[in-house]
Amino acid sequence: MNSFTTPWGEFDLARFPEDPRDPLRAWDAADEYLLRHLHGSDGEPTGLPEPAGTVAVVGDRWGALVTALARHRPVQITDSFLTQEATRANLARNGLAADSVRLLSTRDTPPDRIDVLLIRVPKSLALLEDQLHRLAPRLHEGTLVVGTGRVTEIHTSTLKLFERLVGPTRTSLAVKKARLIFCTPDPGIQRPANPWPHRYALPDGIGVISGRTVTNHAGTFCAERLDIGTRFFLPRLPRHAEPERIVDLGCGNGVVGTAAALANPRAEVLFIDESYQAVASAEATFRENAGPGTTAEFQVGDGLAAVPPQSVDLVLNNPPFHSHQATTDTTAWRMFTGSRRALRPGGELWVIGNRHLGYHVKLRRLFGNCEVVASDPKFVILRAVKR
């Protein structure tokens, strides 16, 4: 936890889940720059009006922005379950009422009218495109629109997207490697149709799911095409015939869990991801491809935290090794420990990962065993059994 100094006071903030050993803060220079601008202390002629009306904050990564702006009762719009949990925790630790911020996901209907739109530019340009399509009709001529991000996150394509979907756009000077985007809504703008969700057919040679069509909402991992790691994993998934409970952990577009359901129609598959866009994609993919009588659940959550202990037979996992701009194995470790807790004795965790990540060391430490199922020069498939 660290103290975040803003024009509206100091706030103790932490990421979620909170880890005292984590040196990363719950905010950065882009958040600071945006708040100084809204306060009018950066020299720009415009700032946050009083009263502000409906303030919508998109992509606030750990709730730093909405916590600082809680007096304006903002609406937070995020694709991340962990962001929502961080926001709740940060409001509580600063003595702010839980209802001072309205939490919406990127799948929820936005407010009818938005008077101030603040956007933390996401890593995914597709997610930004989808959100601007959804939000632009809620803006009016007087809406204050400000984006923020690090200079490495704001590209010409980012600015063109604002220009094409919202209105005239300019940027600020860079301060501490952060930049602001100023956009003036044009009510008469002619927007193209929203291209999301995107659907594509899977290639041949990847097992039972070959040739099937997958649905990808914006921001989902590998939304344009099947990634090479999953392509390696799919034809090598375990084949069981008996009834079992399977978890597609970090499900993305659900292609792995759907393949498992096709291979074993007697299985019950639980799709879990912390991304609302991903879980919506997984559900669409499963519904289109699953055979009659197959059952599935879809859960947005913090890994396996909400899954009862010893209730799962098989976990299939392609863990991420990036959290925003940080390269870390923290998420993978939490997925592995959660899997061990959720698995029944004799249950199995199957992991696909880059060879250099060394997941076998962690799995042997946690499970007491780890077997290499298959490998190539880039990827390795590992199997650990709960004893």
Side-chain angles (χ1 to χ4, degrees):
M1 191 189 316
N2 291 284
S3 182
F4 181 34
T5 302
T6 80
W8 288 275
E10 291 195 4
F11 301 90
D12 290 328
L13 302 178
R15 296 184 171 211
F16 183 91
E18 185 177 354
D19 181 356
R21 300 166 297 177
D22 186 357
L24 298 175
R25 302 183 306 183
W27 74 93
D28 64 12
D31 299 315
E32 294 174 332
Y33 196 179
L34 175 59
L35 291 174
R36 286 198 305 272
H37 169 74
L38 295 176
H39 188 259
S41 54
D42 69 337
E44 284 282 344
T46 58
L48 191 65
E50 293 280 358
T54 299
V55 179
V57 182
V58 181
D60 185 9
R61 293 178 179 173
W62 303 105
L65 294 174
V66 293
T67 300
L69 297 171
R71 61 184 294 220
H72 295 285
R73 305 189 70 82
V75 178
Q76 182 193 72
I77 301 173
T78 179
D79 180 42
S80 170
F81 175 86
L82 297 183
T83 290
Q84 292 183 337
E85 291 298 287
T87 300
R88 292 186 182 98
N90 284 325
L91 290 172
R93 66 169 48 95
N94 287 282
L96 299 168
D99 64 358
S100 60
V101 177
R102 182 183 172 198
L103 303 181
L104 296 180
S105 80
T106 49
R107 306 304 309 153
D108 291 324
T109 301
D112 291 336
R113 174 188 169 97
I114 298 174
D115 301 295
V116 177
L117 177 61
L118 310 175
I119 299 179
R120 179 65 204 243
V121 174
K123 180 180 179 182
S124 167
L125 189 68
L127 182 58
L128 177 63
E129 179 181 34
D130 179 64
Q131 290 306 295
L132 289 180
H133 268 290
R134 290 165 59 86
L135 295 168
R138 318 303 176 115
L139 309 181
H140 55 84
E141 200 169 12
T143 300
L144 174 67
V145 179
V146 186
T148 189
R150 296 190 296 184
V151 293
T152 55
E153 298 170 326
I154 298 175
H155 311 284
T156 301
S157 56
T158 313
L159 305 179
K160 286 182 177 179
L161 204 55
F162 274 91
E163 189 97 25
R164 181 163 56 92
L165 299 181
V166 180
T169 300
R170 65 183 179 89
T171 60
S172 72
L173 298 173
V175 175
K176 294 182 179 179
K177 298 183 179 180
R179 196 181 295 278
L180 300 180
I181 298 170
F182 306 115
C183 188
T184 304
D186 177 3
I189 202 167
Q190 296 296 311
R191 298 180 196 90
N194 188 346
W196 297 97
H198 176 65
R199 300 169 77 248
Y200 60 81
L202 294 168
D204 294 330
I206 56 171
V208 294
I209 202 165
S210 296
R212 306 274 184 151
T213 299
V214 297
T215 297
N216 300 266
H217 287 280
T220 305
F221 175 63
C222 287
E224 299 284 354
R225 66 188 66 84
L226 187 67
D227 68 287
I228 57 174
T230 303
R231 184 190 291 257
F232 183 66
F233 197 22
L234 284 169
R236 297 168 177 84
L237 293 177
R239 300 292 293 267
H240 301 152
E242 67 276 7
E244 61 181 349
R245 185 163 174 80
I246 301 172
V247 176
D248 184 353
L249 178 58
C251 63
N253 62 17
V255 64
V256 170
T258 300
L262 291 170
N264 182 3
R266 302 173 71 190
E268 179 185 86
V269 182
L270 171 59
F271 295 83
I272 299 177
D273 205 293
E274 77 100 13
S275 160
Y276 287 90
Q277 300 284 104
V279 172
S281 303
E283 182 164 8
T285 297
F286 179 85
R287 300 294 183 206
E288 180 170 351
N289 294 290
T294 54
T295 59
E297 295 178 38
F298 304 89
Q299 183 180 114
V300 181
D302 177 16
L304 289 155
V307 175
Q310 300 191 39
S311 64
V312 172
D313 300 294
L314 175 65
V315 177
L316 305 172
N317 183 215
N318 182 359
F321 56 95
H322 290 92
S323 177
H324 298 303
Q325 299 297 322
T327 301
T328 174
D329 63 1
T330 301
T331 300
W333 181 248
R334 294 185 67 248
M335 285 179 161
F336 298 163
T337 56
S339 296
R340 188 179 186 280
R341 184 190 63 84
L343 284 167
R344 298 185 177 104
E348 302 177 4
L349 167 63
W350 285 53
V351 176
I352 173 74
N354 292 77
R355 295 178 65 95
H356 73 272
L357 295 173
Y359 288 150
H360 62 286
V361 177
K362 293 185 177 298
L363 293 174
R364 285 198 187 103
R365 187 191 317 163
L366 186 62
F367 285 84
N369 66 90
C370 180
E371 168 195 353
V372 176
V373 175
S375 66
D376 70 4
K378 186 173 180 62
F379 295 101
V380 61
I381 300 172
L382 304 172
R383 170 181 175 264
V385 181
K386 182 174 179 179
R387 306 299 186 190

